[in-house]
Amino acid sequence: MSLWMLAATIAALLLLATIRVEGGRTNRLLVPGLLLGGLVAVVALGLGASATGYYPGSRALRLAKQVGIDLTDAARDPDVRRIILVEGSSYTARGLDGAMLGRLLTRGSGTKTSVVQMSLDGANHFERSWLLGIALDQLEPADRTALAGKDLTLLLEIQRGYDVAPLNGFVRNLRTWRTYAYMTPGNTWDGLRAVGSLGATAPESIASLLPPAVEHAAVNAMGIGMARRGEQLASVKPARGYQPLKTSKRGYSHGRGMADVLAAARAMADAPAAPVEAMPWIQDIRLPRYRAMLGDLVDSAAFFAVPSTETADLQYVHQFCAQVDDLPCIEYRDPALLKRLQRKPDWNDARHMRVSGAEKFTRWFARRYMRDVVAGTNG
């Protein structure tokens, strides 16, 4: 047993020892004392775990360590003036090369730019915020001060599968270490609020999600199973947010590829955009959560999307960006880009790019970022 576990146990026992139990009578403080003692133990365990770098183990923890390293390196490099924190799912993890983007932006603008890529396959919005919290916990006070003095932009992925299903992957991964890790009480509450805001359009109802969500939040809060599923962050091997794919998925048929997407992009030029029902929770829950976590570290934010060969994805991104009027929104509705991404070797499957596709998109994205975000900010 580690020292922090021992200290928590002793604290709980000392509290319980103060309760007097007299023969023949039930002390009215017994049950409240037991409950309070348990609560003290839970709080002490949680605080002790994070204070000693002991976290629930999951694939996201490896990325959290790398994000913390990248933020620290950017803070300590006096030449880095611009930092881009990119959050996303597998679409970004496969389709955007953050290191390459940093080099292109540095070369194109003359301002050294560091891209911190926080993208993970299968990670819903709440798992991403969980791993960001761990990464921020690793910063020294001096590093936070240094970051606050640099220009940091938060780039938020647009993807309909995650936007219209805020707890995407939760049911699919029930009772796994990964899900127990990120379903904190706070994430559970906000996740259920996000699902509730979508009403009947949500793919999973509140009624079906509530029992397992509460169960996972309780396991997370009480640290159940941490002896087996917990890890010291210092011993975790970091993993980068860009995870390129070199081959196509077995059985993948490219079919018409981007031809239909290209035709749809051209047809959208003058077509009115339908409203996106996920927008309210993204504006009221997703954005405020990140701003509260980052505080004075973040200077600006923008939305972006990674290409897909699915026309419905393009339509969703177009509709999403049409509703955003206060932040830059980079959509991939550019015929020149879509033409360059028509080759089958650029794709792993219908929605995830391979290395060659990611390189093409990253080059295009660097130019579009300079035009829509940097120039817009300076203007």
Side-chain angles (χ1 to χ4, degrees):
M1 180 181 289
S2 65
L3 289 177
W4 62 266
M5 285 185 175
L6 180 60
T9 303
I10 291 173
L13 290 174
L14 287 175
L15 179 65
L16 294 176
T18 64
I19 301 172
R20 294 178 58 193
V21 180
E22 300 177 7
R25 291 193 300 171
T26 301
N27 193 304
R28 61 186 177 85
L29 295 178
L30 180 58
V31 174
L34 288 170
L35 293 175
L36 184 57
L39 179 61
V40 169
V42 168
V43 172
L45 286 170
L47 293 176
S50 60
T52 56
Y54 196 73
Y55 295 95
S58 77
R59 294 170 57 211
L61 191 61
R62 297 180 60 196
L63 177 57
K65 183 171 182 177
Q66 184 63 56
V67 171
I69 291 171
D70 291 343
L71 286 173
T72 299
D73 289 345
R76 297 179 181 180
D77 186 339
D79 295 328
V80 170
R81 300 307 308 157
R82 181 191 298 127
I83 301 169
I84 302 172
L85 177 60
V86 185
E87 67 94 63
S89 62
S90 59
Y91 300 91
T92 298
R94 309 307 192 190
L96 182 67
D97 185 341
M100 178 182 178
L101 177 62
R103 293 192 298 270
L104 290 171
L105 292 176
T106 298
R107 188 184 313 144
S109 67
T111 299
K112 187 170 183 180
T113 302
S114 175
V115 176
V116 180
Q117 189 160 350
M118 191 182 75
S119 52
L120 178 68
D121 54 298
N124 62 38
H125 294 292
F126 297 95
E127 185 172 22
R128 296 175 215 171
S129 64
W130 176 75
L131 70 88
L132 176 60
I134 294 174
L136 294 175
D137 284 346
Q138 310 316 306
L139 296 176
E140 299 291 339
D143 296 327
R144 290 190 68 95
T145 300
L147 285 175
K150 301 173 187 280
D151 181 58
L152 190 151
T153 297
L154 174 64
L155 270 183
L156 302 123
E157 180 191 83
I158 309 165
Q159 214 295 315
R160 65 188 176 106
Y162 289 94
D163 295 351
V164 303
L167 288 176
N168 187 325
F170 169 66
V171 173
R172 185 172 64 251
N173 297 311
L174 282 180
R175 298 181 180 88
T176 61
W177 288 8
R178 178 178 189 174
T179 309
Y180 282 133
Y182 76 81
M183 284 296 281
T184 63
N187 272 352
T188 300
W189 171 249
D190 285 337
L192 291 174
R193 284 203 301 134
V195 172
S197 72
L198 292 167
T201 63
E204 295 154 339
S205 67
I206 287 288
S208 65
L209 289 174
L210 185 60
V214 171
E215 172 200 329
H216 282 71
V219 169
N220 181 287
M222 292 186 287
I224 296 173
M226 280 290 286
R228 291 185 60 243
R229 62 186 180 88
E231 294 185 72
Q232 280 278 351
L233 192 62
S235 63
V236 172
K237 182 180 179 181
R240 296 195 174 276
Y242 176 52
Q243 296 287 324
L245 296 169
K246 296 182 179 179
T247 60
S248 295
K249 182 182 291 184
R250 179 175 296 180
Y252 169 57
S253 175
H254 192 56
R256 289 179 55 81
M258 297 291 284
D260 292 339
V261 176
L262 182 58
R266 287 170 171 156
M268 286 177 188
D270 301 314
V276 170
E277 295 181 355
M279 189 61 70
W281 90 260
I282 288 173
Q283 295 283 10
D284 299 339
I285 298 176
R286 183 184 178 191
L287 272 171
R289 280 168 54 90
Y290 275 119
R291 284 176 170 145
M293 292 178 69
L294 291 164
D296 63 352
L297 300 184
V298 66
D299 298 285
S300 58
F303 289 104
F304 77 103
V306 176
S308 157
T309 66
E310 296 284 341
T311 302
D313 290 337
L314 177 77
Q315 292 170 337
Y316 175 81
V317 172
H318 177 55
Q319 293 163 358
F320 186 105
C321 288
Q323 285 183 255
V324 177
D325 54 10
D326 57 340
L327 295 175
C329 196
I330 304 176
E331 53 180 315
Y332 55 89
R333 192 171 47 94
D334 178 3
L337 170 67
L338 299 178
K339 284 181 181 178
R340 287 197 291 272
L341 290 174
Q342 291 203 67
R343 296 174 60 252
K344 182 177 180 180
D346 291 336
W347 295 93
N348 168 72
D349 56 30
R351 290 179 172 169
H352 299 92
M353 286 185 282
R354 290 168 56 183
V355 174
S356 61
E359 289 178 352
K360 293 176 183 178
F361 173 65
T362 301
R363 293 185 184 280
W364 175 90
F365 189 82
R367 295 190 295 271
R368 189 57 60 92
Y369 184 87
M370 289 299 299
R371 189 195 77 176
D372 293 352
V373 180
V374 176
T377 301
N378 293 339

